[in-house]
Amino acid sequence: MSKTRIRLILILAVCMVACLFTGCSIGFDTYEEVLENYNIAAQVTYYSNGGYFNQNTSILSREIEFTTGSKFYNIKEGTGVSEVNRTNYDLVGWYYVKQVYLTETNEDGEQEEVLYFVLDIDDDVVKAFPSTTDANGNTVYYFSYTSQYSTGEEAEDEDDESEELDEDAEIDLSDLTTVMYYVPYNGGWIMSQEDYDYYIRLKKQNTSDTSINVPNLELGDAVDTSITLEDGSHLYVVADWTKSVSINYVLVMKEGETATSLKVTSGGETATVSEGGTLFSEYFGTNSSLTRSDTEALPVTLEDGTLIGYYYDKDCNKAVNGASIAKPTEEDEEGNLTDVTIYAQCISGVWNILRSAADVQTMFGGGSSNYYLLKDIDCYEITVSPMAAFSGIIQGNGYTLSNLKVSSSSLSNNTRTMLFGIIAKGAKISGLTIDGVTITYSTDSRAQSLNIYLIGMAAQNTEKGDFDISGLTLKNVDMTVTLATYSNNETGYTMIRNIQYINGVYEDDNWLYGSMTDYVNNSNGVDYLDSDFTTTYGGATIQGYTLKIVTGGTTTVVASSN
């Protein structure tokens, strides 16, 4: 968008506000007509000083025209289209730009006054607005060496003949003793002359392009934002910023972890962050507080670790738990607000953290990922479906899932149903107790036969040591299977192949575990017993169980530890 259009839009906004009070109507065609018809009498040029306007990082300065009697427009920090921002900084306020007028000879040989801005001085690291390039293509920065001028402060040395620099003085460029050249070197700046009394860094004022950024403008007095602009005035103001207060999230490894660092990817780059280092930071900006939940997505990627939670203290005793983190209001000895430190406790490895019953429900809906139980969880509010297969890792850390309800209805012909499904190579369960497991299954009326086990089946062609579920303990299991009527079967109901009804008695030694290999090679599946499974693979610990079969409204207890 061109400068003229931007101006026109801004003037339209000002004029529309004025019309609300005057009752006038808008009817003009050109920018010049706006200036003439609406009594544009004052201008203000705003410099963002490292920031940007209108949520557009390419708009670094703004010029606004005002009608007679207008108040200074105080552009504020925020997310609106007419506001100013600077990443990771807070707006302090608007200040007048220090300026001088110098007399120059133009192309016609005539003398004219040219407005220059006085730039801030840093004796150690000097930065300035680029002017041209030298013969080698290096950027050259021009500075006026002016030993005969000072800031107006009295000279401490009697031999110092510096004169006071009048901001309104007309200074001919020929009066400047030496023109200094600065070229970039190793990220800093090298001066061609080290001996000097004072340097005025001057930048020729130019507002014809909103993409021009004037760095390091020397700040004058603070702008009284309540003033009424004088007719014919043109104010040049610059934003002053202070570093925004941040929350630094520091890495703390969970007790017992052997890893002392994690790989963290941010902005496409991966770095190693050691314990005590900062994983990421976020800034308060204009917010008085921020919140961050343990389950909220991280702004960085942990390549080989997982977040456990956020804590106020390094020992991770006082959890944040999504509470508001207040922006500090007390200043340190230097007058700055101090940053906030929050400790991010992590574990090594990529895990799905089980924090709630909802997480447990998600786990049973998957089975191929790794799960880390963070605490005891009461699952009374949920009902899960049995896993189809299990190839992941469940690290229970000694915690318990209690009151777990498992249900699946209308089981179809020739299916296999069990709590952890088909257990594949690499699967592992450690330190997990499930206390109070209520399982209810029912078959479809078209199901002639199927297999049902309490825990799971070994995947085909797996061998001893391929998986490990020895760290699983089931307590107080109540499993009920309701069989639908199926007249073609001898029993008149769906047949559970691994618990066949023989001579009026159900078998009770082949209902905890199964084998996929046995299932494929032997359709009846009666030759593979629970003891065979535990001998080959090792099994879980079961403390207290009851297996019931329901047919035609009659319940038969097939197996019980009581």
Side-chain angles (χ1 to χ4, degrees), residues 2-189:
S2 68
K3 171 71 175 178
T4 301
R5 289 188 177 181
I6 294 174
R7 285 182 173 180
L8 186 55
I9 292 172
L10 294 171
I11 294 168
L12 277 169
V14 173
C15 292
M16 290 175 67
V17 172
C19 287
L20 293 176
F21 296 95
T22 61
C24 65
S25 60
I26 299 176
F28 51 79
D29 296 321
T30 66
Y31 172 68
E32 289 72 19
E33 288 180 358
V34 173
L35 297 178
E36 181 179 353
N37 295 336
Y38 291 97
N39 195 24
I40 300 301
Q43 293 174 292
V44 178
T45 301
Y46 301 81
Y47 290 99
S48 63
N49 191 21
Y52 52 89
F53 294 96
N54 300 11
Q55 298 299 305
N56 187 333
T57 55
S58 65
I59 301 178
L60 309 179
S61 61
R62 287 186 60 185
E63 185 172 292
I64 302 179
E65 286 78 14
F66 296 86
T67 58
T68 297
S70 295
K71 296 283 189 181
F72 177 85
Y73 179 44
N74 184 22
I75 300 179
K76 297 183 178 180
E77 182 181 12
T79 57
V81 295
S82 62
E83 295 173 327
V84 64
N85 289 279
R86 184 177 177 183
T87 304
N88 302 337
Y89 281 81
D90 296 333
L91 179 66
V92 175
W94 293 99
Y95 288 76
Y96 292 107
V97 179
K98 282 192 176 181
Q99 56 197 51
V100 294
Y101 286 87
L102 302 183
T103 302
E104 294 184 1
T105 302
N106 61 25
E107 294 179 354
D108 298 327
E110 299 174 346
Q111 298 289 303
E112 64 178 6
E113 289 185 352
V114 179
L115 174 62
Y116 281 80
F117 291 148
V118 180
L119 305 183
D120 194 13
I121 292 175
D122 186 332
D123 292 345
D124 299 322
V125 180
V126 181
K127 295 182 179 180
F129 198 86
S131 177
T132 185
T133 56
D134 61 17
N136 297 320
N138 297 317
T139 303
V140 176
Y141 296 77
Y142 288 98
F143 296 85
S144 298
Y145 171 54
T146 57
S147 61
Q148 71 268 48
Y149 298 109
S150 72
T151 59
E153 298 178 359
E154 294 183 4
E156 296 182 3
D157 190 339
E158 293 181 359
D159 296 331
D160 187 352
E161 299 178 356
S162 298
E163 300 175 5
E164 180 177 342
L165 174 61
D166 186 347
E167 292 184 358
D168 296 321
E170 295 183 5
I171 305 174
D172 193 281
L173 287 179
S174 61
D175 291 336
L176 301 180
T177 305
T178 307
V179 176
M180 302 295 299
Y181 297 90
Y182 291 70
V183 294
Y185 179 76
N186 289 341
W189 303 88

